[in-house]
Amino acid sequence: MTRDEILHVPSMPAFSPSYPRGPYRFLRREYLIITYETDAEALRRALPEPLEPHPENLVYYEWMKMPDSSGFGDYEESGSGAIATYNGEACNFSIQMYLDDEPPITAGREIWGFPKKWGVPRLKVTKDTLTGTLHYDEERVAMGTMTYKHKSLEKELDTVKAGLGRLNVNLKLLPDVTGAPKVAQLVGYRLEDITVHGAWDGEARLDLIPHVNCRVADLPVKRIVGGRHMIVDFTLPYGQVLHDYLA
């Protein structure tokens, strides 16, 4: 391979790249998001400076079903995040994510710093209940349930869309070949070209089971705020560096 050929490869391995160049388009992506209050000290440990937690220590646990995503295919995902602020601006910070497809795990970690690991999440409608589960190493570590389409947000879709367009933040960490930190950044991005096909609010419940290698229960549930179900299209663009810890 020549130098130009090497620099043209979108991802490793060069002989069979894991993912193509972006941006990446998602169609009919389905969400179950359960927002809750957690322990203040646990949240502070999970939230990197200079991010600040929500005054009520609000976090969210979510399931996502991606039936059609360019470059990544058909997969499902689950994980937790925090409602926070960056320099006074409201943002969502990704804490941990588990999914069942190699290309978005690799691309997510390498490009944006998404905290992705392998897991088996599932989101489905069971009779009258929207149900999400997550298994890690064959053990169930999370289950969320929400009433199915009890409160439509059809008259508030512009507000839902604006919320989806807010700043999202990841902590990107990559070691050098010596093992020393090579990249240590807060990375920000905003979803683009958003279309909301439907959105619903409702009552929800969340059960998180302690596991040493899938620490979703380390942010304990103190109070459920509510659940949201959405079906949306959007484009995931490249991001920008908000804060460089090595600078």
Side-chain angles (χ1 to χ4, degrees):
M1 299 176 68
T2 66
R3 177 182 182 276
D4 288 344
E5 289 172 334
I6 291 170
L7 296 179
H8 187 69
V9 174
S11 60
M12 293 177 62
F15 190 72
S16 179
S18 287
Y19 53 89
R21 297 193 186 278
Y24 306 90
R25 183 71 177 164
F26 293 78
L27 301 178
R28 307 294 297 187
R29 181 166 177 166
E30 185 173 13
Y31 289 85
L32 165 58
I33 303 174
I34 300 175
T35 303
Y36 67 96
E37 178 188 354
T38 193
D39 177 77
E41 292 186 6
L43 176 56
R44 185 67 272 182
R45 287 194 299 269
L47 203 62
E49 60 180 15
L51 299 182
E52 293 295 332
H54 187 278
E56 297 180 46
N57 300 307
L58 296 185
V59 296
Y60 55 89
Y61 194 91
E62 62 184 355
W63 279 266
M64 295 164 283
K65 181 184 290 186
M66 278 71 72
D68 185 350
S69 54
S70 60
F72 302 146
D74 179 2
Y75 65 102
E76 299 189 41
E77 188 166 341
S78 180
S80 60
I83 300 173
T85 56
Y86 170 72
N87 289 341
E89 180 180 1
C91 67
N92 293 331
F93 174 72
S94 299
I95 296 174
Q96 51 192 325
M97 310 172 86
Y98 300 88
L99 55 157
D100 59 356
D101 188 16
E102 185 273 330
I105 292 177
T106 305
R109 291 170 65 114
E110 292 180 353
I111 300 173
W112 301 272
F114 282 111
K116 293 176 183 281
K117 293 176 70 174
W118 181 271
V120 183
R122 293 293 180 261
L123 178 60
K124 62 181 180 178
V125 180
T126 306
K127 305 301 182 182
D128 61 344
T129 308
L130 182 63
T131 304
T133 59
L134 173 63
H135 283 75
Y136 187 91
D137 288 348
E138 301 182 2
E139 299 294 333
R140 183 171 68 81
V141 292
M143 183 176 76
T145 55
M146 177 181 164
T147 54
Y148 188 65
K149 295 186 177 181
H150 277 205
K151 180 184 177 183
S152 174
L153 300 177
E154 61 181 344
K155 296 182 180 179
E156 304 171 45
L157 294 187
D158 287 344
T159 301
V160 173
K161 179 178 178 179
L164 288 164
R166 73 159 52 180
L167 176 65
N168 293 278
V169 180
N170 297 327
L171 176 61
K172 182 175 180 177
L173 300 172
L174 294 174
D176 203 344
V177 68
T178 63
K182 181 69 172 180
V183 174
Q185 304 168 334
L186 281 184
V187 175
Y189 70 94
R190 298 177 190 271
L191 304 181
E192 299 175 348
D193 303 322
I194 301 168
T195 299
V196 181
H197 296 285
W200 303 265
D201 279 350
E203 292 191 16
R205 297 293 184 269
L206 180 63
D207 180 40
L208 303 175
I209 299 172
H211 191 295
V212 69
N213 285 322
C214 182
R215 301 182 181 183
V216 293
D218 283 16
L219 292 174
V221 179
K222 296 183 66 175
R223 173 178 61 92
I224 297 288
V225 174
R228 174 160 292 184
H229 178 204
M230 298 184 293
I231 300 174
V232 302
D233 300 341
F234 63 80
T235 297
L236 174 60
Y238 291 115
Q240 62 178 353
V241 177
L242 301 178
H243 186 83
D244 189 343
Y245 295 96
L246 298 178

